[in-house]
Amino acid sequence: ARPRLAPPYVVFAERLLAVLTGERPVHWMLGQTIGDAYEQLVRLAPANPLRPSGTARRSRPVLRRCRSASPGPDVLEAYASIVTGARVQAMAFRLERGADRRWRCAAVELGPAAT
């Protein structure tokens, strides 16, 4: 049996999580973004907004839930909840599939952290 591949929105949620926790540099997303998405990551990433803080520093943030909707052909709008200890943060992003059939991130936004 062939291994089941994760949906593109889950793959991108993990990629964005790696960049926004500082595990990967922003330029790792070059070629995987279009439009303003790369610039959004350049602005967000230096603060490592999803990196654990305080006593949760030993915990790696975990993708708890990730879902998507398709408002049109070759477009996915997704949301994810990221959990670090008792802290939960929301992340929303948009994926667009190009003529080459590859998905790329077109936008990313983070919600405030809740504890």
Side-chain angles (χ1 to χ4, degrees):
R2 295 173 77 183
R4 186 175 171 163
L5 299 176
Y9 58 91
V10 173
V11 171
F12 270 86
E14 290 286 356
R15 289 175 184 173
L16 291 168
L17 179 60
V19 169
L20 296 172
T21 58
E23 290 178 17
R24 293 283 192 163
V26 176
H27 68 265
W28 185 61
M29 292 296 290
L30 276 172
Q32 300 179 61
T33 57
I34 57 173
D36 292 334
Y38 186 76
E39 291 304 318
Q40 288 171 315
L41 288 173
V42 166
R43 285 190 302 274
L44 288 170
N48 296 315
L50 298 180
R51 177 178 280 169
S53 61
T55 59
R57 263 199 199 275
R58 292 180 292 247
S59 304
R60 183 195 185 279
V62 175
L63 183 65
R64 182 191 327 172
R65 173 170 288 169
C66 189
R67 300 284 188 261
S68 77
S70 183
D74 298 322
V75 175
L76 292 174
E77 292 183 345
Y79 67 91
S81 58
I82 312 298
V83 179
T84 308
R87 183 178 134 194
V88 179
Q89 191 157 0
M91 176 172 62
F93 54 98
R94 179 181 175 98
L95 301 178
E96 296 180 5
R97 189 164 34 192
D100 61 0
R101 308 307 295 160
R102 290 182 53 212
W103 290 101
R104 291 179 179 84
C105 184
V108 61
E109 287 191 32
L110 297 176
T115 53

